[in-house]
Amino acid sequence: MLLVVFGAGASHDCLPDGVPYGDWQPPLTKHVFDLTRSNYATIAGRYVGSMGVMDQVSKGLIANPKATLEGELARMMARSRTDNELEIGLLAVQFYLSHLFRDCSTGVLEARGRLTNYARFVRRLEEWRTDHDEQTTYVTFNYDTLLDAALRERGSLEEWDDFVRPHRAYFKVHGSVDWAQRVEVAGNPIGRNPQAMIWAAPRLTRVKQLDAWRIRADPGVVDMDDAIWAPAIALPVEDKDELVLPAEHLEVLKQRLRQVTRVLTFGWKARETEFLKLLQIVPVGVPVHVLTASPAGVDEAAESLRMAGLDGPTTKTAMGFEEFVNGGELVDLLERI
């Protein structure tokens, strides 16, 4: 079984043939709070409470050049356990991220009629899979729906079971802009709109059963089935990252990791501790191919994977996702495996 893992670098580099992104190129993690972009600032302004968190993160990054957005957010999450106002701000940021990456997805998919580097990659990989009677497992840390759109060319993703077919499974381990999770509210009822939910953040508890998850088109819709729903996405934090997906999907993922025979990663820094722990399930000696746009990024990801237990032969390629998909590297790789 082939395991393919995507990080932010793949979505950032997803339009082929020099097609312009306009205002909606999916950002790398370090740029998600860049409020100098007017479209980002407009979205943040819709969710009162988000701006304060984003400003604190930005100031922390300016004060300490070695700091990371993920590290700053991790510190805020730790503080939010005793700071209700910060908890409100962090939920507002989740709404912001869900809205931002939904708009990025829509903008990119409209740029060239849904033709992306993801679409080309999936088509070629799935042709290889059927020719060799293989199985594929896709994992993404991205909130956007760009890989979803590519996989929908091969079959439906409208029901939860559609994500975990035996021949091809797809796991969004940090959630998705079109996923929602039901919440229970302690105390008085709240208004059924995003801002009312944000103000009530300290009183909310997420329900984790599968029937408490929904696939929805608009992250602004919080009132469905006579219940209240929050964005089902993880905040990008360092070290103590949270896996946000239905528990049933997580169990299937664990089963599939035990059957992996090769690993490919694209645009992923391999810093997410919880997923790296899961990779300990992968059999010993499995070959690994790591691709990021920078040599330093390739080395960092490869070392993280080695430390996680992926000790098989490792190939490192410093190359953007577009160049990999549209040049000869992808074809060469599939021929080798």
mmCIF file of all heavy atoms in Angstrom, residues 160-203:
data_model
loop_
_atom_site.group_PDB
_atom_site.id
_atom_site.type_symbol
_atom_site.label_atom_id
_atom_site.label_comp_id
_atom_site.label_asym_id
_atom_site.label_seq_id
_atom_site.Cartn_x
_atom_site.Cartn_y
_atom_site.Cartn_z
ATOM 1 N N TRP A 160 -19.406 9.831 4.748
ATOM 2 C CA TRP A 160 -18.167 9.511 5.461
ATOM 3 C C TRP A 160 -17.532 8.217 4.967
ATOM 4 O O TRP A 160 -16.305 8.103 4.901
ATOM 5 C CB TRP A 160 -18.427 9.437 6.966
ATOM 6 C CG TRP A 160 -18.806 10.760 7.556
ATOM 7 C CD1 TRP A 160 -20.015 11.127 8.059
ATOM 8 C CD2 TRP A 160 -17.976 11.922 7.668
ATOM 9 N NE1 TRP A 160 -19.990 12.440 8.487
ATOM 10 C CE2 TRP A 160 -18.749 12.944 8.268
ATOM 11 C CE3 TRP A 160 -16.651 12.193 7.327
ATOM 12 C CZ2 TRP A 160 -18.237 14.211 8.520
ATOM 13 C CZ3 TRP A 160 -16.142 13.460 7.590
ATOM 14 C CH2 TRP A 160 -16.923 14.452 8.172
ATOM 15 N N ASP A 161 -18.348 7.242 4.583
ATOM 16 C CA ASP A 161 -17.794 5.976 4.087
ATOM 17 C C ASP A 161 -17.065 6.154 2.760
ATOM 18 O O ASP A 161 -16.199 5.342 2.414
ATOM 19 C CB ASP A 161 -18.907 4.931 3.916
ATOM 20 C CG ASP A 161 -19.407 4.390 5.249
ATOM 21 O OD1 ASP A 161 -18.734 4.644 6.268
ATOM 22 O OD2 ASP A 161 -20.466 3.750 5.270
ATOM 23 N N ASP A 162 -17.396 7.207 2.005
ATOM 24 C CA ASP A 162 -16.729 7.447 0.725
ATOM 25 C C ASP A 162 -15.238 7.734 0.915
ATOM 26 O O ASP A 162 -14.437 7.522 -0.008
ATOM 27 C CB ASP A 162 -17.364 8.629 -0.002
ATOM 28 C CG ASP A 162 -18.813 8.365 -0.413
ATOM 29 O OD1 ASP A 162 -19.182 7.183 -0.512
ATOM 30 O OD2 ASP A 162 -19.553 9.336 -0.629
ATOM 31 N N PHE A 163 -14.860 8.223 2.095
ATOM 32 C CA PHE A 163 -13.465 8.566 2.354
ATOM 33 C C PHE A 163 -12.600 7.330 2.607
ATOM 34 O O PHE A 163 -11.372 7.413 2.513
ATOM 35 C CB PHE A 163 -13.360 9.492 3.570
ATOM 36 C CG PHE A 163 -13.810 10.905 3.315
ATOM 37 C CD1 PHE A 163 -15.155 11.247 3.297
ATOM 38 C CD2 PHE A 163 -12.879 11.914 3.093
ATOM 39 C CE1 PHE A 163 -15.567 12.551 3.066
ATOM 40 C CE2 PHE A 163 -13.278 13.218 2.862
ATOM 41 C CZ PHE A 163 -14.632 13.532 2.843
ATOM 42 N N VAL A 164 -13.202 6.221 2.942
ATOM 43 C CA VAL A 164 -12.414 5.056 3.382
ATOM 44 C C VAL A 164 -12.774 3.813 2.564
ATOM 45 O O VAL A 164 -13.112 2.766 3.100
ATOM 46 C CB VAL A 164 -12.593 4.805 4.898
ATOM 47 C CG1 VAL A 164 -11.881 5.894 5.690
ATOM 48 C CG2 VAL A 164 -14.076 4.768 5.304
ATOM 49 N N ARG A 165 -12.670 3.938 1.265
ATOM 50 C CA ARG A 165 -12.873 2.784 0.395
ATOM 51 C C ARG A 165 -11.660 1.858 0.497
ATOM 52 O O ARG A 165 -10.538 2.318 0.739
ATOM 53 C CB ARG A 165 -13.058 3.236 -1.056
ATOM 54 C CG ARG A 165 -14.215 4.214 -1.266
ATOM 55 C CD ARG A 165 -14.264 4.703 -2.707
ATOM 56 N NE ARG A 165 -15.198 5.803 -2.885
ATOM 57 C CZ ARG A 165 -16.493 5.644 -3.154
ATOM 58 N NH1 ARG A 165 -16.995 4.421 -3.274
ATOM 59 N NH2 ARG A 165 -17.277 6.701 -3.311
ATOM 60 N N PRO A 166 -11.827 0.548 0.306
ATOM 61 C CA PRO A 166 -10.698 -0.372 0.455
ATOM 62 C C PRO A 166 -9.542 -0.081 -0.499
ATOM 63 O O PRO A 166 -8.372 -0.170 -0.108
ATOM 64 C CB PRO A 166 -11.323 -1.746 0.168
ATOM 65 C CG PRO A 166 -12.774 -1.577 0.499
ATOM 66 C CD PRO A 166 -13.107 -0.164 0.105
ATOM 67 N N HIS A 167 -9.835 0.283 -1.745
ATOM 68 C CA HIS A 167 -8.761 0.486 -2.715
ATOM 69 C C HIS A 167 -8.124 1.864 -2.598
ATOM 70 O O HIS A 167 -6.976 2.059 -3.009
ATOM 71 C CB HIS A 167 -9.284 0.288 -4.142
ATOM 72 C CG HIS A 167 -10.342 1.271 -4.556
ATOM 73 N ND1 HIS A 167 -11.632 1.199 -4.094
ATOM 74 C CD2 HIS A 167 -10.294 2.362 -5.372
ATOM 75 C CE1 HIS A 167 -12.349 2.185 -4.621
ATOM 76 N NE2 HIS A 167 -11.558 2.908 -5.391
ATOM 77 N N ARG A 168 -8.886 2.827 -2.049
ATOM 78 C CA ARG A 168 -8.376 4.196 -1.944
ATOM 79 C C ARG A 168 -9.042 4.879 -0.754
ATOM 80 O O ARG A 168 -10.268 4.961 -0.679
ATOM 81 C CB ARG A 168 -8.676 4.985 -3.219
ATOM 82 C CG ARG A 168 -8.170 6.423 -3.166
ATOM 83 C CD ARG A 168 -8.482 7.197 -4.447
ATOM 84 N NE ARG A 168 -9.899 7.315 -4.722
ATOM 85 C CZ ARG A 168 -10.514 6.728 -5.738
ATOM 86 N NH1 ARG A 168 -9.838 5.968 -6.587
ATOM 87 N NH2 ARG A 168 -11.810 6.879 -5.931
ATOM 88 N N ALA A 169 -8.210 5.337 0.187
ATOM 89 C CA ALA A 169 -8.746 6.015 1.365
ATOM 90 C C ALA A 169 -8.126 7.406 1.480
ATOM 91 O O ALA A 169 -7.005 7.639 1.025
ATOM 92 C CB ALA A 169 -8.462 5.204 2.627
ATOM 93 N N TYR A 170 -8.861 8.301 2.107
ATOM 94 C CA TYR A 170 -8.467 9.712 2.183
ATOM 95 C C TYR A 170 -8.745 10.218 3.593
ATOM 96 O O TYR A 170 -9.876 10.153 4.067
ATOM 97 C CB TYR A 170 -9.264 10.504 1.154
ATOM 98 C CG TYR A 170 -9.022 11.997 1.144
ATOM 99 C CD1 TYR A 170 -7.778 12.550 1.424
ATOM 100 C CD2 TYR A 170 -10.064 12.875 0.813
ATOM 101 C CE1 TYR A 170 -7.573 13.919 1.385
ATOM 102 C CE2 TYR A 170 -9.862 14.246 0.763
ATOM 103 C CZ TYR A 170 -8.621 14.759 1.055
ATOM 104 O OH TYR A 170 -8.418 16.118 1.013
ATOM 105 N N PHE A 171 -7.698 10.718 4.256
ATOM 106 C CA PHE A 171 -7.820 11.157 5.635
ATOM 107 C C PHE A 171 -7.380 12.620 5.760
ATOM 108 O O PHE A 171 -6.249 12.962 5.424
ATOM 109 C CB PHE A 171 -6.958 10.283 6.554
ATOM 110 C CG PHE A 171 -7.316 8.822 6.486
ATOM 111 C CD1 PHE A 171 -6.621 7.967 5.643
ATOM 112 C CD2 PHE A 171 -8.356 8.309 7.246
ATOM 113 C CE1 PHE A 171 -6.949 6.633 5.557
ATOM 114 C CE2 PHE A 171 -8.700 6.968 7.164
ATOM 115 C CZ PHE A 171 -7.997 6.120 6.323
ATOM 116 N N LYS A 172 -8.290 13.458 6.252
ATOM 117 C CA LYS A 172 -7.976 14.864 6.504
ATOM 118 C C LYS A 172 -7.742 14.998 8.016
ATOM 119 O O LYS A 172 -8.672 15.264 8.785
ATOM 120 C CB LYS A 172 -9.105 15.769 6.015
ATOM 121 C CG LYS A 172 -9.442 15.560 4.531
ATOM 122 C CD LYS A 172 -10.330 16.661 3.982
ATOM 123 C CE LYS A 172 -9.519 17.927 3.701
ATOM 124 N NZ LYS A 172 -10.287 18.942 2.948
ATOM 125 N N VAL A 173 -6.502 14.825 8.440
ATOM 126 C CA VAL A 173 -6.225 14.625 9.862
ATOM 127 C C VAL A 173 -6.290 15.910 10.683
ATOM 128 O O VAL A 173 -6.305 15.851 11.917
ATOM 129 C CB VAL A 173 -4.861 13.924 10.065
ATOM 130 C CG1 VAL A 173 -4.911 12.505 9.535
ATOM 131 C CG2 VAL A 173 -3.736 14.702 9.403
ATOM 132 N N HIS A 174 -6.321 17.071 10.034
ATOM 133 C CA HIS A 174 -6.526 18.333 10.746
ATOM 134 C C HIS A 174 -7.880 18.948 10.422
ATOM 135 O O HIS A 174 -8.092 20.139 10.626
ATOM 136 C CB HIS A 174 -5.402 19.325 10.438
ATOM 137 C CG HIS A 174 -4.191 19.112 11.288
ATOM 138 N ND1 HIS A 174 -3.056 19.880 11.178
ATOM 139 C CD2 HIS A 174 -3.929 18.199 12.275
ATOM 140 C CE1 HIS A 174 -2.142 19.459 12.054
ATOM 141 N NE2 HIS A 174 -2.657 18.440 12.715
ATOM 142 N N GLY A 175 -8.819 18.118 9.922
ATOM 143 C CA GLY A 175 -10.145 18.604 9.625
ATOM 144 C C GLY A 175 -10.234 19.243 8.247
ATOM 145 O O GLY A 175 -9.316 19.158 7.430
ATOM 146 N N SER A 176 -11.367 19.905 7.987
ATOM 147 C CA SER A 176 -11.629 20.437 6.655
ATOM 148 C C SER A 176 -12.576 21.619 6.741
ATOM 149 O O SER A 176 -13.414 21.701 7.650
ATOM 150 C CB SER A 176 -12.246 19.348 5.774
ATOM 151 O OG SER A 176 -12.502 19.813 4.472
ATOM 152 N N VAL A 177 -12.464 22.532 5.776
ATOM 153 C CA VAL A 177 -13.338 23.706 5.765
ATOM 154 C C VAL A 177 -14.800 23.325 5.560
ATOM 155 O O VAL A 177 -15.692 24.115 5.912
ATOM 156 C CB VAL A 177 -12.923 24.716 4.677
ATOM 157 C CG1 VAL A 177 -11.529 25.227 4.925
ATOM 158 C CG2 VAL A 177 -13.054 24.124 3.274
ATOM 159 N N ASP A 178 -15.068 22.166 5.016
ATOM 160 C CA ASP A 178 -16.463 21.763 4.812
ATOM 161 C C ASP A 178 -16.907 20.697 5.809
ATOM 162 O O ASP A 178 -17.885 19.992 5.583
ATOM 163 C CB ASP A 178 -16.704 21.299 3.370
ATOM 164 C CG ASP A 178 -15.833 20.118 2.974
ATOM 165 O OD1 ASP A 178 -14.896 19.771 3.717
ATOM 166 O OD2 ASP A 178 -16.094 19.530 1.897
ATOM 167 N N TRP A 179 -16.204 20.584 6.931
ATOM 168 C CA TRP A 179 -16.618 19.700 8.011
ATOM 169 C C TRP A 179 -17.095 20.527 9.199
ATOM 170 O O TRP A 179 -16.580 21.609 9.467
ATOM 171 C CB TRP A 179 -15.461 18.825 8.489
ATOM 172 C CG TRP A 179 -15.018 17.770 7.533
ATOM 173 C CD1 TRP A 179 -15.450 17.542 6.259
ATOM 174 C CD2 TRP A 179 -14.017 16.778 7.792
ATOM 175 N NE1 TRP A 179 -14.782 16.480 5.708
ATOM 176 C CE2 TRP A 179 -13.894 15.995 6.619
ATOM 177 C CE3 TRP A 179 -13.204 16.490 8.889
ATOM 178 C CZ2 TRP A 179 -13.001 14.926 6.525
ATOM 179 C CZ3 TRP A 179 -12.316 15.429 8.809
ATOM 180 C CH2 TRP A 179 -12.216 14.651 7.637
ATOM 181 N N ALA A 180 -18.060 19.976 9.926
ATOM 182 C CA ALA A 180 -18.543 20.608 11.149
ATOM 183 C C ALA A 180 -18.690 19.538 12.230
ATOM 184 O O ALA A 180 -18.914 18.359 11.936
ATOM 185 C CB ALA A 180 -19.884 21.293 10.900
ATOM 186 N N GLN A 181 -18.528 19.975 13.479
ATOM 187 C CA GLN A 181 -18.658 19.079 14.618
ATOM 188 C C GLN A 181 -19.693 19.656 15.578
ATOM 189 O O GLN A 181 -19.671 20.850 15.892
ATOM 190 C CB GLN A 181 -17.302 18.935 15.325
ATOM 191 C CG GLN A 181 -17.241 17.793 16.323
ATOM 192 C CD GLN A 181 -15.819 17.593 16.849
ATOM 193 O OE1 GLN A 181 -14.918 18.360 16.527
ATOM 194 N NE2 GLN A 181 -15.626 16.573 17.651
ATOM 195 N N ARG A 182 -20.627 18.819 16.019
ATOM 196 C CA ARG A 182 -21.692 19.295 16.901
ATOM 197 C C ARG A 182 -21.133 19.671 18.264
ATOM 198 O O ARG A 182 -20.227 19.016 18.778
ATOM 199 C CB ARG A 182 -22.776 18.223 17.037
ATOM 200 C CG ARG A 182 -23.968 18.650 17.878
ATOM 201 C CD ARG A 182 -25.191 17.792 17.598
ATOM 202 N NE ARG A 182 -24.965 16.382 17.818
ATOM 203 C CZ ARG A 182 -25.116 15.768 19.001
ATOM 204 N NH1 ARG A 182 -25.470 16.469 20.059
ATOM 205 N NH2 ARG A 182 -24.906 14.475 19.106
ATOM 206 N N VAL A 183 -21.684 20.728 18.830
ATOM 207 C CA VAL A 183 -21.263 21.163 20.161
ATOM 208 C C VAL A 183 -22.472 21.216 21.081
ATOM 209 O O VAL A 183 -23.607 21.453 20.649
ATOM 210 C CB VAL A 183 -20.570 22.547 20.122
ATOM 211 C CG1 VAL A 183 -19.282 22.488 19.333
ATOM 212 C CG2 VAL A 183 -21.498 23.616 19.543
ATOM 213 N N GLU A 184 -22.209 20.970 22.357
ATOM 214 C CA GLU A 184 -23.227 21.140 23.393
ATOM 215 C C GLU A 184 -22.910 22.403 24.175
ATOM 216 O O GLU A 184 -21.744 22.740 24.390
ATOM 217 C CB GLU A 184 -23.250 19.921 24.311
ATOM 218 C CG GLU A 184 -23.683 18.648 23.592
ATOM 219 C CD GLU A 184 -23.679 17.427 24.495
ATOM 220 O OE1 GLU A 184 -23.074 17.510 25.594
ATOM 221 O OE2 GLU A 184 -24.274 16.405 24.109
ATOM 222 N N VAL A 185 -23.963 23.112 24.598
ATOM 223 C CA VAL A 185 -23.806 24.405 25.262
ATOM 224 C C VAL A 185 -24.258 24.288 26.701
ATOM 225 O O VAL A 185 -25.394 23.890 26.973
ATOM 226 C CB VAL A 185 -24.623 25.495 24.543
ATOM 227 C CG1 VAL A 185 -24.374 26.851 25.185
ATOM 228 C CG2 VAL A 185 -24.292 25.531 23.064
ATOM 229 N N ALA A 186 -23.358 24.624 27.627
ATOM 230 C CA ALA A 186 -23.724 24.652 29.042
ATOM 231 C C ALA A 186 -24.416 25.976 29.357
ATOM 232 O O ALA A 186 -24.055 27.027 28.817
ATOM 233 C CB ALA A 186 -22.477 24.500 29.912
ATOM 234 N N GLY A 187 -25.434 25.914 30.227
ATOM 235 C CA GLY A 187 -26.111 27.150 30.633
ATOM 236 C C GLY A 187 -27.168 27.581 29.642
ATOM 237 O O GLY A 187 -27.783 26.765 28.954
ATOM 238 N N ASN A 188 -27.358 28.881 29.531
ATOM 239 C CA ASN A 188 -28.424 29.434 28.702
ATOM 240 C C ASN A 188 -28.181 29.163 27.217
ATOM 241 O O ASN A 188 -27.025 29.104 26.764
ATOM 242 C CB ASN A 188 -28.546 30.939 28.918
ATOM 243 C CG ASN A 188 -28.969 31.280 30.335
ATOM 244 O OD1 ASN A 188 -29.713 30.511 30.965
ATOM 245 N ND2 ASN A 188 -28.500 32.404 30.845
ATOM 246 N N PRO A 189 -29.238 29.003 26.428
ATOM 247 C CA PRO A 189 -29.080 28.835 24.970
ATOM 248 C C PRO A 189 -28.393 30.050 24.360
ATOM 249 O O PRO A 189 -28.418 31.149 24.924
ATOM 250 C CB PRO A 189 -30.524 28.689 24.473
ATOM 251 C CG PRO A 189 -31.321 28.305 25.664
ATOM 252 C CD PRO A 189 -30.656 28.955 26.839
ATOM 253 N N ILE A 190 -27.783 29.841 23.194
ATOM 254 C CA ILE A 190 -27.086 30.921 22.505
ATOM 255 C C ILE A 190 -27.732 31.162 21.145
ATOM 256 O O ILE A 190 -28.452 30.310 20.620
ATOM 257 C CB ILE A 190 -25.590 30.600 22.320
ATOM 258 C CG1 ILE A 190 -25.412 29.363 21.410
ATOM 259 C CG2 ILE A 190 -24.906 30.404 23.653
ATOM 260 C CD1 ILE A 190 -23.958 29.086 21.048
ATOM 261 N N GLY A 191 -27.465 32.322 20.570
ATOM 262 C CA GLY A 191 -27.933 32.598 19.217
ATOM 263 C C GLY A 191 -27.279 31.671 18.218
ATOM 264 O O GLY A 191 -26.127 31.263 18.391
ATOM 265 N N ARG A 192 -27.992 31.356 17.155
ATOM 266 C CA ARG A 192 -27.500 30.366 16.196
ATOM 267 C C ARG A 192 -26.830 31.059 15.015
ATOM 268 O O ARG A 192 -27.304 31.019 13.885
ATOM 269 C CB ARG A 192 -28.634 29.447 15.772
ATOM 270 C CG ARG A 192 -29.233 28.725 16.986
ATOM 271 C CD ARG A 192 -29.964 27.473 16.662
ATOM 272 N NE ARG A 192 -30.241 26.710 17.871
ATOM 273 C CZ ARG A 192 -30.645 25.441 17.870
ATOM 274 N NH1 ARG A 192 -30.811 24.805 16.729
ATOM 275 N NH2 ARG A 192 -30.886 24.818 19.001
ATOM 276 N N ASN A 193 -25.702 31.672 15.315
ATOM 277 C CA ASN A 193 -24.880 32.321 14.307
ATOM 278 C C ASN A 193 -23.428 32.242 14.775
ATOM 279 O O ASN A 193 -23.163 32.010 15.963
ATOM 280 C CB ASN A 193 -25.327 33.765 14.080
ATOM 281 C CG ASN A 193 -25.203 34.600 15.343
ATOM 282 O OD1 ASN A 193 -24.110 35.016 15.719
ATOM 283 N ND2 ASN A 193 -26.336 34.851 16.017
ATOM 284 N N PRO A 194 -22.461 32.396 13.870
ATOM 285 C CA PRO A 194 -21.055 32.222 14.255
ATOM 286 C C PRO A 194 -20.617 33.104 15.413
ATOM 287 O O PRO A 194 -19.930 32.636 16.331
ATOM 288 C CB PRO A 194 -20.309 32.560 12.966
ATOM 289 C CG PRO A 194 -21.249 32.202 11.869
ATOM 290 C CD PRO A 194 -22.595 32.576 12.406
ATOM 291 N N GLN A 195 -20.995 34.395 15.416
ATOM 292 C CA GLN A 195 -20.485 35.274 16.468
ATOM 293 C C GLN A 195 -21.041 34.900 17.839
ATOM 294 O O GLN A 195 -20.328 34.960 18.842
ATOM 295 C CB GLN A 195 -20.803 36.727 16.141
ATOM 296 C CG GLN A 195 -20.010 37.709 16.991
ATOM 297 C CD GLN A 195 -18.499 37.537 16.815
ATOM 298 O OE1 GLN A 195 -17.986 37.545 15.709
ATOM 299 N NE2 GLN A 195 -17.790 37.367 17.924
ATOM 300 N N ALA A 196 -22.311 34.484 17.891
ATOM 301 C CA ALA A 196 -22.876 34.046 19.168
ATOM 302 C C ALA A 196 -22.126 32.826 19.692
ATOM 303 O O ALA A 196 -21.869 32.713 20.896
ATOM 304 C CB ALA A 196 -24.360 33.737 19.001
ATOM 305 N N MET A 197 -21.771 31.918 18.792
ATOM 306 C CA MET A 197 -21.002 30.747 19.205
ATOM 307 C C MET A 197 -19.618 31.154 19.699
ATOM 308 O O MET A 197 -19.105 30.623 20.692
ATOM 309 C CB MET A 197 -20.879 29.753 18.045
ATOM 310 C CG MET A 197 -20.073 28.507 18.401
ATOM 311 S SD MET A 197 -19.910 27.398 17.007
ATOM 312 C CE MET A 197 -21.594 26.852 16.848
ATOM 313 N N ILE A 198 -18.995 32.103 19.019
ATOM 314 C CA ILE A 198 -17.660 32.559 19.421
ATOM 315 C C ILE A 198 -17.707 33.138 20.836
ATOM 316 O O ILE A 198 -16.876 32.795 21.689
ATOM 317 C CB ILE A 198 -17.132 33.595 18.412
ATOM 318 C CG1 ILE A 198 -16.787 32.895 17.084
ATOM 319 C CG2 ILE A 198 -15.898 34.319 18.966
ATOM 320 C CD1 ILE A 198 -16.551 33.846 15.932
ATOM 321 N N TRP A 199 -18.682 34.007 21.133
ATOM 322 C CA TRP A 199 -18.779 34.594 22.471
ATOM 323 C C TRP A 199 -19.001 33.516 23.531
ATOM 324 O O TRP A 199 -18.579 33.683 24.690
ATOM 325 C CB TRP A 199 -19.919 35.599 22.537
ATOM 326 C CG TRP A 199 -19.760 36.849 21.734
ATOM 327 C CD1 TRP A 199 -20.701 37.422 20.928
ATOM 328 C CD2 TRP A 199 -18.614 37.713 21.660
ATOM 329 N NE1 TRP A 199 -20.227 38.563 20.344
ATOM 330 C CE2 TRP A 199 -18.939 38.775 20.779
ATOM 331 C CE3 TRP A 199 -17.352 37.679 22.235
ATOM 332 C CZ2 TRP A 199 -18.054 39.794 20.474
ATOM 333 C CZ3 TRP A 199 -16.450 38.698 21.927
ATOM 334 C CH2 TRP A 199 -16.804 39.733 21.065
ATOM 335 N N ALA A 200 -19.646 32.427 23.153
ATOM 336 C CA ALA A 200 -19.964 31.364 24.122
ATOM 337 C C ALA A 200 -18.886 30.290 24.198
ATOM 338 O O ALA A 200 -19.095 29.260 24.841
ATOM 339 C CB ALA A 200 -21.306 30.726 23.751
ATOM 340 N N ALA A 201 -17.740 30.510 23.578
ATOM 341 C CA ALA A 201 -16.706 29.467 23.486
ATOM 342 C C ALA A 201 -16.407 28.766 24.810
ATOM 343 O O ALA A 201 -16.275 27.530 24.841
ATOM 344 C CB ALA A 201 -15.419 30.059 22.896
ATOM 345 N N PRO A 202 -16.289 29.460 25.951
ATOM 346 C CA PRO A 202 -15.974 28.753 27.205
ATOM 347 C C PRO A 202 -17.055 27.784 27.660
ATOM 348 O O PRO A 202 -16.800 26.925 28.514
ATOM 349 C CB PRO A 202 -15.805 29.898 28.224
ATOM 350 C CG PRO A 202 -15.471 31.102 27.401
ATOM 351 C CD PRO A 202 -16.271 30.927 26.139
ATOM 352 N N ARG A 203 -18.255 27.913 27.086
ATOM 353 C CA ARG A 203 -19.367 27.043 27.500
ATOM 354 C C ARG A 203 -19.625 25.904 26.527
ATOM 355 O O ARG A 203 -20.580 25.151 26.686
ATOM 356 C CB ARG A 203 -20.644 27.874 27.640
ATOM 357 C CG ARG A 203 -20.552 28.964 28.698
ATOM 358 C CD ARG A 203 -21.923 29.487 29.051
ATOM 359 N NE ARG A 203 -22.483 30.394 28.050
ATOM 360 C CZ ARG A 203 -23.676 30.265 27.509
ATOM 361 N NH1 ARG A 203 -24.450 29.232 27.810
ATOM 362 N NH2 ARG A 203 -24.120 31.146 26.623
#
